[in-house]
Amino acid sequence: MKYLLSLALLVCSAASAADLKVYPYDGAKFVPGQRFDLRIEAENVQNFQGAAVTLDGQPVAGLVQTTTKPTSVEWTLRGQSLPTGLHELSVRYRDAAGEATKTARWYVVPAAAARAKNVILFIGDGMGWNTVNAARLIAHPYNPTNGTPTGQLAMMSGLSGMASVTTSSFDSALADSANTASSIATGQKIQVNALNVYPDNTADTLDNPRVETITAMLRRSMGKGVGIVTSAFGVDATPAAFASYTRRRGDYSAIADQYFKGDVQPDVLLLGGSRDFIPSTAPGSRRKDTTDWITDSQKQGYTFVSSRTELNAANTNKLFGLFNIDNIPSYLDRAQYKTTEALGDFKDMPYLWDSTKKAVETLEKNPNGFFLMVEAGMVDKYEHPLDWQRGVWDVLELDKAVEWAKDYAKTHPDTLILVTADHAHSLSVYGGYDATKGPGKREAVGVYESAGFPTYGDKRDANGLPLPETARTYAVGFAAVPDYCETYLGRRIFLDPTVSNGKTGAEAGYLPNPKICEEGGVTRTGNLPPTANQGVHTADPLPLFAFGPGSENFFGMMDQTDLFFSMARALGLDATRNR
């Protein structure tokens, strides 16, 4: 039977009646047994007189009624779940201004037979199709004698499933990492800056109605191991989406606490920065209390590691790693430039393939299988400041982790491997650039036949990746930018594209970074507001590459929420069961 999942909400009676909101929203989908919090809100209330709430024609018992302000009434019922099929919630409300009715219909998809035991989900933060293509062009340059490809990225070769993925937020056509990663984790549309929660009308960001993540369900119903790996700071939006719940992604300390006290409690946490896991008395801490998760995690049975050497030597069932005070610097900074400015005191940080390998070695000890999310978090953090080289080389680092995972799956054929992104950036390769003419020369940009064949790959580093310095490179640009200076070339020391104009209030804004302009950069007029200091996310579609059992569920055009249901289907997830 097919169901219409985008039904309009019915609001009838006087226009002056209270404004009703229902969460989960109309058209929401779930897997069997997936838990969610029911929230009903009436705003602009005038002398509330009563309400009736039914689910599939039967009164809903247990609703807790509250009044957060004189003009509102709310009802909450936490920890609900539904069996397979179509369900309808109806709210009939009455106050002095009149009556109102709101209906929400939800669909619980049927469970499927399991195809995969394990899932390794790779997320390149900000890695849209064009970013992946830029990485391919650099790693596998075209044959200069005839223009034929010389190879493909590991994530693009030997595919058994492929899709283009569209993104949107509950409250916007454009998306951020919090709500997009949450869509992958829960199958729901989530507000910008929110993690796995629906809206509510309270100021408390931690009391919003929740929807259960795939990681929590796999832990609860199937006893699977869970791992989270990222090169970004430890409680950044994408890793947080797989183990926390909050309306504000900036609730960093609360997210760190939920890693160890929430409903997931991953077996493996290999993260970038430590600011939110160390007590307020420690240098660099962002916490306002004395919580010390490095110490307390070991009391919970975790082995703690803080360097690549310690990581590779670890042999444990529970692993917690922090490798920097903040984000792990780019691959170029760790493997090639190795400057003090970038590395500071952290000289021995792992590569993403090191963390992926050790996470799998730890998780595979669980006989029930595992779910591992691996994020190349710094792709996004370098695309924002328009540093395309650092962003693209981090895609190449991710690709080597994917290559390792594909080799692992050869001997573990019950492992589904997925490679995708949370959102895109506006990066585009539009020509060649003659680097011998120096930075910022528009006449050095070649298009069509003048673009020639860039010479990446002539020299490679110890890990087999090409060096960024080459005689002929690509002309790479961004579509969503502030005012900045374009040099066309990378640099050994990272620089922000803009600096403050020194003004405050309404006149505050940003100017092109003079240090970049002094390199010989061409001044570019941006298309973002003057208050923007870097590039922004775009609504461009994302790639998805699938390998292994269940990959047939990933094809064609998919909404980002579909990824959740396709993973659940591949794993045979039925959350009505509890272990």
Side-chain angles (χ1 to χ4, degrees):
M1 181 179 294
K2 295 183 179 179
Y3 297 94
L4 182 62
L5 299 177
S6 300
L7 303 176
L9 294 179
L10 172 65
V11 180
C12 59
S13 191
S16 58
D19 177 24
L20 292 179
K21 294 183 175 66
V22 174
Y23 303 104
Y25 54 81
D26 182 65
K29 294 166 59 179
F30 303 93
V31 297
Q34 184 177 8
R35 294 174 179 174
F36 61 85
D37 295 340
L38 173 62
R39 175 79 171 181
I40 304 166
E41 297 178 351
E43 293 284 356
N44 303 315
V45 171
Q46 301 179 48
N47 188 19
F48 172 64
Q49 297 177 3
V53 182
T54 60
L55 176 64
D56 298 335
Q58 299 299 314
V60 177
L63 285 166
V64 176
Q65 181 179 326
T66 56
T67 301
T68 59
K69 52 184 178 292
T71 57
S72 72
V73 181
E74 309 87 26
W75 297 265
T76 305
L77 186 59
R78 298 192 183 273
Q80 301 304 292
S81 63
L82 296 167
T84 300
L86 185 65
H87 302 273
E88 179 175 292
L89 183 93
S90 178
V91 181
R92 295 187 177 276
Y93 168 92
R94 185 177 72 257
D95 68 11
E99 296 183 353
T101 300
K102 186 170 284 279
T103 300
R105 294 176 176 86
W106 308 319
Y107 179 54
V108 181
V109 303
R115 294 286 316 281
K117 180 180 179 181
N118 312 313
V119 169
I120 304 175
L121 169 64
F122 291 98
I123 296 178
D125 199 313
M127 189 182 72
W129 274 108
N130 283 357
T131 300
V132 172
N133 188 55
R136 179 188 67 85
L137 291 172
I138 288 168
H140 302 286
Y142 290 117
N143 187 328
T145 62
N146 57 21
T148 56
T150 58
Q152 290 283 5
L153 297 176
M155 68 179 72
M156 304 172 83
S157 60
L159 295 168
S160 47
M162 187 173 75
S164 279
V165 180
T166 57
T167 64
S168 61
S169 308
F170 176 82
D171 54 344
S172 174
L174 277 294
D176 83 315
S177 293
N179 74 271
T180 52
S182 295
S183 288
I184 298 172
T186 65
Q188 308 293 298
K189 291 296 182 182
I190 303 293
Q191 286 177 297
V192 171
N193 291 325
L195 292 163
N196 306 317
V197 298
Y198 301 115
D200 73 7
N201 62 352
T202 71
D204 187 347
T205 57
L206 297 173
D207 73 348
N208 286 56
R210 299 179 172 187
V211 57
E212 194 174 23
T213 63
I214 191 169
T215 43
M217 285 182 282
L218 291 172
R219 170 79 84 200
R220 172 174 63 81
S221 66
M222 301 179 77
K224 290 187 181 293
V226 174
I228 296 174
V229 171
T230 183
S231 54
F233 69 90
V235 294
D236 203 10
T238 301
F242 290 87
S244 69
Y245 306 85
T246 175
R247 172 62 185 91
R248 184 177 61 200
R249 60 181 284 181
D251 285 333
Y252 296 140
S253 295
I255 292 169
D257 295 345
Q258 289 184 54
Y259 281 163
F260 298 99
K261 299 191 295 186
D263 62 354
V264 178
Q265 298 182 30
D267 305 279
V268 174
L269 285 163
L270 299 176
L271 314 170
S274 60
R275 291 190 189 282
D276 307 289
F277 300 90
I278 54 180
S280 59
T281 53
S285 174
R286 194 157 42 190
R287 297 190 70 98
K288 296 181 180 179
D289 59 25
T290 58
T291 300
D292 180 358
W293 281 118
I294 292 178
T295 298
D296 292 347
S297 66
Q298 295 174 72
K299 297 176 183 177
Q300 293 186 5
Y302 288 87
T303 296
F304 178 74
V305 294
S306 60
S307 68
R308 185 188 189 205
T309 301
E310 292 176 356
L311 173 70
N312 290 337
N315 184 7
T316 180
N317 293 323
K318 298 178 72 175
L319 184 59
F320 177 34
L322 297 168
F323 306 104
N324 200 297
I325 192 66
D326 208 320
N327 301 306
I328 293 176
S330 75
Y331 174 84
L332 288 177
D333 288 311
R334 280 172 289 138
Q336 297 186 11
Y337 300 148
K338 301 180 182 179
T339 63
T340 301
E341 291 89 344
L343 303 185
D345 296 329
F346 301 95
K347 310 296 186 185
D348 188 24
M349 291 172 281
Y351 296 114
L352 204 58
W353 60 82
D354 296 318
S355 296
T356 301
K357 179 175 183 290
K358 185 57 64 173
V360 170
E361 289 176 354
T362 305
L363 292 169
E364 69 178 356
K365 297 176 183 179
N366 186 327
N368 299 315
F370 62 83
F371 182 100
L372 172 63
M373 192 286 295
V374 179
E375 184 204 20
M378 299 304 291
V379 178
D380 168 83
K381 296 192 187 304
Y382 290 115
E383 287 184 305
H384 273 297
L386 315 180
D387 193 328
W388 71 267
Q389 282 193 341
R390 282 179 167 84
V392 166
W393 259 261
D394 274 27
V395 174
L396 299 181
E397 179 185 11
L398 170 65
D399 197 56
K400 284 186 68 69
V402 173
E403 183 177 30
W404 181 89
K406 289 173 65 177
D407 285 341
Y408 173 83
K410 291 176 182 177
T411 56
H412 298 78
D414 51 5
T415 301
L416 169 65
I417 299 171
L418 302 171
V419 187
T420 189
D422 50 355
H423 59 76
H425 277 270
S426 63
L427 180 149
S428 182
V429 177
Y430 61 88
Y433 187 81
D434 185 352
T436 65
K437 294 183 179 181
K441 302 293 191 298
R442 290 178 65 177
E443 61 272 20
V445 175
V447 298
Y448 300 112
E449 72 277 8
S450 298
F453 292 99
T455 50
Y456 289 110
D458 290 351
K459 296 181 181 180
R460 295 184 178 264
D461 67 14
N463 296 313
L465 298 189
L467 301 180
E469 293 79 15
T470 190
R472 177 168 288 277
T473 179
Y474 285 104
V476 179
F478 291 84
V481 295
D483 295 347
Y484 76 107
C485 286
E486 176 65 82
T487 67
Y488 302 101
L489 302 177
R491 56 186 55 84
R492 290 178 60 83
I493 305 299
F494 170 82
L495 290 173
D496 285 310
T498 62
V499 296
S500 170
N501 64 5
K503 298 179 181 180
T504 59
E507 295 183 335
Y510 292 88
L511 301 171
N513 189 328
K515 291 183 179 179
I516 298 178
C517 300
E518 290 166 5
E519 294 177 3
V522 178
T523 301
R524 293 284 173 81
T525 300
N527 53 12
L528 296 177
T531 52
N533 67 335
Q534 56 181 216
V536 297
H537 303 170
T538 68
D540 297 331
L542 314 172
L544 185 140
F545 308 116
F547 310 85
S551 58
E552 68 276 4
N553 294 297
F554 302 88
F555 64 93
M557 293 298 300
M558 302 180 71
D559 183 80
Q560 198 164 48
T561 54
D562 295 331
L563 307 190
F564 165 85
F565 293 99
S566 293
M567 289 190 296
R569 184 173 181 82
L571 289 164
L573 175 58
D574 180 355
T576 60
R577 299 174 294 179
N578 286 304
R579 291 184 62 85

